[in-house]
Amino acid sequence: MTTRTIDRSTDLSQALDKLGPDETLKYNSDYLRGHIASDLLDRITGGVTFASNKLMKFHGIYQQDDRDIRDERRRQKLEPALTFMVRVRLPGGVCTPEQWLKIDELAQTHGGNTIRLTTRQTFQFHWIVKEDIKPTIEGLHDVLLDTIAACGDDSRGVMATADPADSDIHAEVAELSKQLSDHVIPKTRAYHEIWYGEERVATSENEEPFYGKQYLPRKFKIGFVVPPSNDIDVYTQDLGFIAVTGPNGIEGFNVTIGGGMGRTDNEPTTYPRLADVVGFIPKDRLLACADAVMGVQRDYGNRVVRARARFKYTIDDKGLDFIKSEIEQRMGAPFESARPFDLTTNGDGFGWRQTDRGTWNYGLFIANGRVSDLPGRDIMTGLREIAKVLSGNLRLTPNQNLIIAGVTPEDKPQIEALLAKHGLAESDKTSSLRLNSIACVALPTCPLAMAEAERYLPDLITKIEAILEQNGLAQEPITIRMSGCPNGCSRPYVSEIALTGRAPGKYNLYLGGGFHGERLNSLYAENIGEERILEILSEKLSTYANERAPGERFGDFVTRMIDRERAA
Amino acid sequence: MKFLYEHHIVDIIRRFPVAGVEADSLLAGLRPLQPRLYSLASSQALVGNEAHLTVARVRYELHGTARGGVATTQIADRLEMGSTIPVYVQENPHFRLPADDVPIIMVGPGTGVAPFRAFLQEREARAAAGRSWLFFGERNFRSDFLYQVEWQEWLDEGVLSRLDVAFSRDASSKTYVQHRMREQSRNLFAWLEEGAHFYVCGDGKAMARDVHEALIGIVEHEGGRSREAAEDYIRNLAAEHRYQRDVY
């Protein structure tokens, strides 16, 4: 037997001065307090200092600016139009009508009258000015919501399949995602002191028994999936739990580790990675397993090079076998062999579906998760009216759509009437491509964006729809995802067609992701504009229409074609 | 007088048209426009062969039509880039920086901030050691924070020691520079006691009076003086050229 020596030169065992600057910043932050409170009172700027900006991410808040007017303001000798994005923690994407109404009210008062449903099943407010952050967070607190760890080097919002066929399974998985989220968020009182104005209580206790002063090397994403749906794209999560169910509900989970979409532009050592299935755990070992996996990443993750700090690189650097055995040791039990499972799609269902409880769920398509009032489609007003009368709940899907759930047969006509009144009925009567599309927010607020996404993808899809129409593919479900930068918030690298921004109007085109997120796509063309994108897609789609095998998905077909081209 | 204040020549002619007066003869009968005086917002020590002005476009409505200030809209709207206009320098010997090591307090809301930008440019160029404190006010933080990024840089570099701002239209209760002065009364009095020069520039009607009142109040309160003694204190500052105003 050979013992492999594990390189510890980049991890938590090293002194701070050997590690990247973020580690010192976190260490010296007094458990995420830093100077946030005093920066909030600084009237000279609408923003906060560099350090506070980093720390506020752990509180679910990002400083952004309106990039559309950045140059104009520079000429005016004004700082950028700084505002904040505030992201809610909403485990499993489930929210009560009361919570929805509060979110809606806060968006009207502080958030530019718009709400963004995200690819991780939560709400984002944009356009919040500095002095309105506190009232926003206090408002959320009124309905038992918070923004803890919605961003930052910690475990972010926990996802869960939005609409499994079995209602009891959904209830259970939603509850587990809430329990797990509560378990893995930072425990510092900094959040309560800064945002709720609570007094600091002197304590000798360790404020972060799990995380310590340096938290994780980078963000960490967890999700639950209930087969056959793979709506959360479990293979893109750092830690995934695939529910295994039996006659008495959830028996346990197949555990996946090491997925991640992000890559850094011009950093060839960064790449998207699909998660590995490492085995099965019984349900009662869930929290122990999460602790063990996160503990391994905390202790071994790369804290020198931030671009290489995600768990997926830790696994590739140290070896899957080592990581797995380290997890097992910490968990106090080995993984059992994985149970069979079958995932079929990462898309959502739309329209009415009667559940096993006799109530009705309505899948509402919301283009790119943007809730606002559009001409002929009063999404924001309509959902407000619906939330006022709904006795069930609302669920945000990982594809940025919404499920109006638990509608009683008696209430159904009323909900239907409200949907129709606000132009929301038949929201799914559009091409399958559009229904299976995701775009991230990108311009004008995201500081990382290099190109448009949310504001552009709908127009591009209209042009692709014409091509689909010509080829008789209008009802063929094909996934398309666009991100404004290579980081991949819209999970582009598992999409059948993906575009990631490189420069204004220029994208990298990826083709051939698996329809249910089981295969990464590959880079097909770099830095191309709309004309070239449409040319390529036109060619690929017409060949697909003519030459595909029965039932063959576009991603599978195009992968086969590309392999053939490259072999030739 | 009120009538003349509310009626420009064009309004009078519209209201009382006189037959037989042609445009040429009307113009011949009018006096040339008076020159407009602007504070320089720059120091040649820093910007070389340039002179910067801070010009707020005057816009208002009168008798149902939109009007614009003659000089400000000429500069901001009608002059083309690269065109020339006649100018002259009118020196103001009563509004000058003190020695480099003397602290200065500057109150300059709106375009009144112009000379203080020049002061700080000068102090930056001279690497002056004296502390400096600016009170600035305008309507909205987002759109009206004149030279915001320059003050921020000067704060970072230490050229500007303190900056207090008041934006009157951002909150429900209107806040002006004199409110910020009162909030900082202890510090402000301490600066005066340490020999600071106090400058005010801008609107002479309301602002300068309110700032003057605030100053007396601060000396009264922080210095433990009677109203009369506080007024004496301020008069004395002026006599020592430590209280200088450029108001219009």
Side-chain angles (χ1 to χ4, degrees), chain A residues 43-47 73-74 76-83 128-131, chain B residues 117 141-150 152 155 163-165 167 180 183:
Chain A
R43 294 194 188 97
I44 309 307
T45 171
R73 290 183 66 87
R74 190 179 294 135
Q76 294 171 332
K77 300 187 194 299
L78 290 169
E79 70 180 6
L82 298 169
T83 56
I128 298 199
V129 295
K130 188 163 72 172
E131 51 274 29
Chain B
R117 180 171 179 266
F141 169 81
R142 290 262 145 190
S143 52
D144 307 328
F145 197 160
L146 301 179
Y147 305 110
Q148 181 187 22
V149 293
E150 296 189 356
Q152 289 177 345
L155 280 168
L163 174 57
D164 284 281
V165 292
F167 292 96
R180 294 285 179 246
E183 284 170 15

Side-chain angles (χ1 to χ4, degrees), chain A residues 7 67 119 149 192 285 287 300 349 355 416 502 540 550-551 563:
Chain A
D7 177 13
R67 295 177 56 180
T119 56
H192 300 72
R285 210 164 281 156
L287 296 186
Y300 290 98
T355 70
E416 269 174 338
R502 293 296 307 276
K540 297 293 174 219
D563 288 348

Side-chain angles (χ1 to χ4, degrees), chain A residues 195-381:
Chain A
W195 308 109
Y196 305 152
E198 290 179 12
E199 285 292 313
R200 185 168 190 174
V201 184
T203 172
S204 55
E205 271 175 58
N206 181 353
E207 284 203 67
E208 293 286 10
F210 174 80
Y211 282 112
K213 288 185 172 182
Q214 286 169 253
Y215 294 83
L216 292 183
R218 276 217 69 185
K219 61 185 163 191
F220 194 88
K221 299 178 175 181
I222 303 179
F224 291 87
V225 78
V226 180
S229 171
N230 187 22
D231 58 350
I232 74 154
D233 272 318
V234 69
Y235 300 113
T236 71
Q237 312 283 335
D238 291 281
L239 173 57
F241 295 104
I242 301 172
V244 174
T245 56
N248 300 317
I250 294 175
E251 293 177 353
F253 301 95
N254 287 319
V255 178
T256 69
I257 61 169
M261 287 286 96
R263 69 191 321 156
T264 308
D265 202 33
N266 297 322
E267 277 278 359
T269 58
T270 65
Y271 48 82
R273 184 186 189 280
L274 294 183
D276 295 291
V277 181
V278 287
F280 174 87
I281 55 159
K283 186 170 65 178
D284 60 8
R285 210 164 281 156
L286 178 69
L287 296 186
C289 176
D291 280 345
V293 175
M294 285 170 57
V296 169
Q297 164 64 354
R298 176 196 61 206
D299 297 344
Y300 290 98
N302 190 326
R303 293 174 187 260
V304 174
V305 184
R306 229 177 129 70
R308 292 272 304 173
R310 288 289 297 276
F311 188 38
K312 58 186 174 179
Y313 304 118
T314 314
I315 294 174
D316 285 351
D317 289 346
K318 315 294 176 200
L320 182 60
D321 289 344
F322 169 77
I323 296 293
K324 188 178 164 187
S325 71
E326 192 74 8
I327 294 167
E328 288 173 328
Q329 212 175 330
R330 290 165 187 240
M331 188 163 62
F335 285 108
E336 297 168 25
S337 23
R339 306 278 181 89
F341 63 95
D342 192 22
L343 302 172
T344 58
T345 173
N346 55 12
D348 289 339
F350 297 100
W352 287 108
R353 178 180 80 82
Q354 187 163 29
T355 70
D356 49 3
R357 290 179 180 174
T359 57
W360 292 83
N361 289 358
Y362 184 82
L364 176 66
F365 172 66
I366 299 179
N368 299 320
R370 175 60 65 188
V371 175
S372 56
D373 284 344
L374 307 170
R377 277 199 96 203
D378 303 332
I379 307 176
M380 195 153 162
T381 306

Side-chain angles (χ1 to χ4, degrees), chain B residues 96-107 116 119-120 123 128-135 158-162 187-200 233 237 240-244:
Chain B
R96 291 293 169 96
L97 272 170
D100 282 353
D101 58 346
V102 175
I104 54 175
I105 300 169
M106 302 165 281
V107 181
F116 303 130
F119 276 13
L120 290 183
R123 281 204 149 180
R131 287 171 299 153
S132 56
W133 185 354
L134 175 65
F135 289 89
V159 176
L160 181 59
S161 321
R162 292 195 60 144
N187 270 317
L188 203 152
F189 184 67
W191 279 52
L192 291 177
E193 287 285 273
E194 289 158 22
H197 283 219
F198 190 90
Y199 299 87
V200 184
Y233 184 99
L237 279 184
E240 291 172 356
H241 306 296
R242 285 175 53 207
Y243 180 18
Q244 302 186 12

Side-chain angles (χ1 to χ4, degrees), chain A residues 58-108:
Chain A
F58 292 79
H59 300 249
I61 303 158
Y62 274 85
Q63 179 174 305
Q64 306 188 323
D65 76 288
D66 186 345
R67 295 177 56 180
D68 285 348
I69 57 171
R70 205 184 261 183
D71 288 342
E72 183 192 331
R73 290 183 66 87
R74 190 179 294 135
R75 284 194 295 276
Q76 294 171 332
K77 300 187 194 299
L78 290 169
E79 70 180 6
L82 298 169
T83 56
F84 293 83
M85 182 273 273
V86 174
R87 187 184 286 155
V88 178
R89 181 171 71 100
L90 192 71
V94 180
C95 98
T96 65
E98 184 204 7
Q99 289 171 332
W100 182 279
L101 290 172
K102 177 57 85 170
I103 297 277
D104 176 81
E105 176 202 318
L106 293 170
Q108 292 180 65

Side-chain angles (χ1 to χ4, degrees), chain A residues 134-204:
Chain A
K134 224 169 157 173
T136 302
I137 291 181
E138 282 166 354
L140 292 170
H141 192 42
D142 291 344
V143 290
L144 307 177
L145 291 173
D146 59 60
T147 65
I148 299 171
C151 327
D153 298 344
D154 43 30
S155 173
R156 309 243 180 134
V158 175
M159 300 177 72
T161 294
D163 194 23
D166 187 321
S167 301
D168 293 340
I169 298 288
H170 178 262
E172 194 175 358
V173 85
E175 177 53 31
L176 287 174
S177 64
K178 170 96 172 63
Q179 273 177 29
L180 182 55
S181 175
D182 291 346
H183 180 72
V184 295
I185 57 172
K187 301 292 182 277
T188 167
R189 299 297 293 172
Y191 190 89
H192 300 72
E193 293 163 18
I194 296 169
W195 308 109
Y196 305 152
E198 290 179 12
E199 285 292 313
R200 185 168 190 174
V201 184
T203 172
S204 55

